[in-house]
Amino acid sequence: MEQAPTRRRGRGGGGAARRAERSAVSFETAKFIERNIPNFEVLTEEALEIIENNAEKVLEEIGVNFPDNPAALQRWRDAGADVDGERVRIPCGLARKLCETAPPSYTQHARNPARTVEVGGKNLVLAPVYGPPFVRDASGGRRYATMEDFRNFVKLGYMSKWLHHSGGTVCEPTDVAVNKRHLDMLHAHMTLSDKPYMGSVTEPSRARDSVEMSEILFGKDFVAENTVMTSLININSPMTFDDVMMGALEVYAQANQACIISPFIVGGAMAPVSVAGTLTQVLAEVLAGIAYSQLCRAGAPVIMGAFVTSIDMNSGAPTFGTPEASHITYGAGQLARRLGLPFRSAGSFCGSKLPDAQAAYETANSLNMGLLSGVNFMLHSCGWLEGGLVSSYEKFVMDADQLGTLHHLAAGVQVDENAQAMDAIREVGPGGHYLGCAHTQANFKSAFWKSDLLDYKPFETWEDEGARDTAALATLRVQKLLSDYQQPAMDPATREALDAYVAEKKAAEPDSFM
């Protein structure tokens, strides 16, 4: 695993911070997943070569658009591409050659070093839902998200054992001005959690603010030499790289901060209806996007993304947890590994309006697809509802609980002396039981994964306790986690500097909700 050189952070020390650490609540957060199981592959060598060759034809013959971005067009000219207006046609092999400078893995540092993650290889990092303008909970129903909701989701993420990453726009706080809400969101991630986080991408200046706030949190020298953010750059499929997202990409790449280069595909609307056709377009788009990141700064860390879903041909609504989406995700994982790059896809995807059976089925399909396809960074791993329009409190904790199964599945099957259990088999013999044998007594605490949410009690006990379904249990868990939450320790001088930065930036311009 390649790692960037580390340097002691410029801030975060001092006696006050150490005293705060001693008084903080301690809870367990699982390390990022290290797979000990094989990836599931659906494409033959012949199929992979066909898709790769077709993607090169798309780039060379059809090309991609970089609208309203003269600097990007000039970079492509200088690299040897054919630029006609805003259309960039990339000679066969050029994009793939440029992608070779992107690292196969990278370290994203958290302000708490114990929460630092390694992205790439056989690792899987889980991050929460991203982007919904609405939230839902049992008491308030469906409503526009607020900054209070945003802070609550950051707290829930911080308290979730199986979640490795604080994420980014866990919901869109519509009660804060558009031009200022990124400041409050980043401040929440930096102060309410000590897990890794994502930066803002909605405007290049907001990406620069993200870098500057990270320099306050970690120290300017540390940020200059290390990756402390992984941010999402969506391609406007089909094959359009808009200037806002590319402007944010340019800022992050030049600052050596990681970006997920991710087409946003709804099959049948933004890509062909066939699996091979969609994979061809996905590969062409990510080749162009990753190559451009390397034109901005060779060696900048990137992730090959593939957000793919299908469409209901009657209503036009996106559908999730489908076999076709699985085929595309498995295939995209194979293509990413052939490129030698980290892979982002999957999540707790569902189209359901409520955290119900539909949500559970579709989410289970999507999460397992992500594990088996070799995903390295799974955005949307908990909280997603209604096709990504809603961040659900109840579904957040339901999904976060189920992420524990991914950890245990990924561990594989042990066959050491203890796992073989021959002493237990000899001790019990024919007709006995294993409940009291020495092997069971020695291993019962760690033998099986146990949900912190689901109900395993006998019917009579369940009925006496109110016959609660999973959504009701999830409401109670949300309440408990938020009640138990305590803010992680932070050096007071760092906190003051962050507060001052946000206040100064917000005071410098009038509110805009456009």
Side-chain angles (χ1 to χ4, degrees):
M1 178 68 65
E2 294 185 358
Q3 294 193 43
T6 58
R7 175 180 292 180
R8 178 174 291 278
R9 293 167 172 78
R11 295 183 180 272
R18 288 190 291 272
R19 288 191 295 273
E21 286 172 1
R22 287 194 293 270
S23 63
V25 168
S26 177
F27 63 94
E28 181 183 4
T29 295
K31 183 184 176 183
F32 56 87
I33 292 173
E34 297 174 89
R35 285 184 184 82
N36 196 33
I37 57 175
N39 297 313
F40 187 72
E41 301 189 340
V42 297
L43 298 178
T44 64
E45 180 68 22
E46 180 185 13
L48 289 164
E49 290 177 359
I50 289 172
I51 290 167
E52 290 172 338
N53 288 334
N54 286 345
E56 293 285 359
K57 291 178 184 177
V58 169
L59 292 176
E60 185 169 45
E61 299 173 12
I62 301 169
V64 297
N65 280 358
F66 278 77
D68 303 315
N69 196 337
L73 298 175
Q74 189 58 51
R75 286 190 178 99
W76 279 116
R77 284 192 195 95
D78 295 342
D82 175 21
V83 179
D84 180 13
E86 295 179 336
R87 183 70 59 91
V88 177
R89 291 180 175 85
I90 305 170
C92 182
L94 175 59
R96 187 173 290 270
K97 181 66 176 177
L98 290 170
C99 291
E100 290 178 359
T101 59
S105 61
Y106 67 92
T107 301
Q108 184 185 348
H109 294 270
R111 73 175 176 95
N112 178 352
R115 318 272 199 231
T116 290
V117 296
E118 307 287 342
V119 181
K122 293 186 175 182
N123 301 331
L124 171 56
V125 175
L126 301 170
V129 63
Y130 184 107
F134 299 101
V135 298
R136 174 181 284 278
D137 63 13
S139 60
R142 186 185 192 267
R143 63 186 188 280
Y144 278 105
T146 66
M147 195 62 216
E148 180 182 4
D149 291 311
F150 188 95
R151 294 189 180 102
N152 283 339
F153 280 113
V154 172
K155 293 175 183 178
L156 290 174
Y158 173 64
M159 297 290 286
S160 297
K161 175 180 179 180
W162 306 112
L163 200 61
H164 316 120
H165 203 282
S166 194
T169 309
V170 287
C171 63
E172 191 75 39
T174 58
D175 58 337
V176 182
V178 171
N179 60 328
K180 300 178 181 181
R181 64 180 60 156
H182 68 289
L183 299 165
D184 289 334
M185 291 191 286
L186 276 163
H187 187 272
H189 281 300
M190 291 176 173
T191 60
L192 301 179
S193 176
D194 61 7
K195 293 180 179 181
Y197 58 88
M198 305 174 75
S200 177
V201 297
T202 54
E203 212 279 332
S205 67
R206 296 167 198 166
R208 284 190 288 273
D209 290 343
S210 303
V211 173
E212 290 175 2
M213 289 181 71
S214 295
E215 289 173 344
I216 294 171
L217 183 64
F218 288 92
K220 192 168 185 176
D221 290 343
F222 189 87
V223 172
E225 297 183 7
N226 297 279
T227 298
V228 300
M229 282 182 287
T230 296
S231 302
L232 177 62
I233 303 296
N234 277 323
I235 297 165
N236 190 3
S237 302
M239 297 175 292
T240 300
F241 296 75
D242 71 81
D243 60 313
V244 174
M245 281 286 171
M246 290 303 100
L249 170 63
E250 291 157 10
V251 170
Y252 286 125
Q254 289 163 0
N256 202 37
Q257 300 305 304
C259 286
I260 306 165
I261 313 296
S262 192
F264 192 95
I265 299 291
V266 178
M270 289 106 95
V273 295
S274 63
V275 170
T278 295
L279 282 171
T280 295
Q281 183 180 310
V282 166
L283 181 58
E285 291 178 351
V286 296
L287 281 171
I290 293 169
Y292 183 64
S293 76
Q294 301 306 295
L295 289 177
C296 295
R297 176 170 173 164
V302 291
I303 299 174
M304 172 181 159
F307 178 92
V308 178
T309 184
S310 51
I311 194 171
D312 182 277
M313 286 299 182
N314 291 320
S315 68
T319 53
F320 299 91
T322 62
E324 294 78 18
S326 293
H327 286 153
I328 293 167
T329 304
Y330 293 136
Q334 291 178 258
L335 293 168
R337 287 188 290 278
R338 285 164 73 91
L339 274 174
L341 292 173
F343 177 42
R344 171 259 165 154
S345 197
S348 62
F349 298 148
C350 67
S352 181
K353 316 304 181 288
L354 297 169
D356 57 8
Q358 178 185 342
Y361 281 126
E362 292 175 349
T363 293
N365 288 343
S366 298
L367 290 176
N368 283 301
M369 167 188 79
L371 176 68
L372 296 177
S373 64
V375 166
N376 300 113
F377 191 97
M378 189 190 292
L379 195 57
H380 308 301
S381 66
C382 59
W384 171 290
L385 202 62
E386 202 179 318
L389 289 174
V390 171
S391 292
S392 163
Y393 280 82
E394 281 76 19
K395 186 145 186 300
F396 192 102
V397 298
M398 291 163 64
D399 293 339
D401 179 74
Q402 285 299 299
L403 297 180
T405 65
L406 300 189
H407 285 73
H408 283 249
L409 282 168
V413 178
Q414 301 298 313
V415 291
D416 59 15
E417 185 175 352
N418 179 64
Q420 293 173 43
M422 289 301 296
D423 288 344
I425 295 170
R426 291 188 182 98
E427 179 185 342
V428 173
H433 67 76
Y434 290 86
L435 293 175
C437 78
H439 185 267
T440 300
Q441 294 298 310
N443 290 279
F444 77 94
K445 288 184 178 181
S446 59
F448 307 116
W449 174 77
K450 185 178 185 302
S451 169
D452 289 325
L453 175 66
L454 303 182
D455 190 302
Y456 301 124
K457 298 169 185 173
F459 173 83
E460 292 77 13
T461 306
W462 171 77
E463 188 173 45
D464 289 344
E465 292 180 350
R468 297 171 299 200
D469 62 11
T470 304
L473 294 172
T475 297
L476 295 175
R477 178 135 183 92
V478 169
Q479 294 168 353
K480 176 172 173 52
L481 289 173
L482 292 179
S483 174
D484 289 348
Y485 171 82
Q486 287 192 25
Q487 196 165 345
M490 174 177 278
D491 175 57
T494 303
R495 175 60 186 263
E496 290 172 8
L498 284 171
D499 292 350
Y501 181 94
V502 170
E504 181 179 351
K505 281 281 184 176
K506 293 177 77 171
E509 57 182 303
D511 289 355
S512 171
F513 282 87
M514 298 295 292

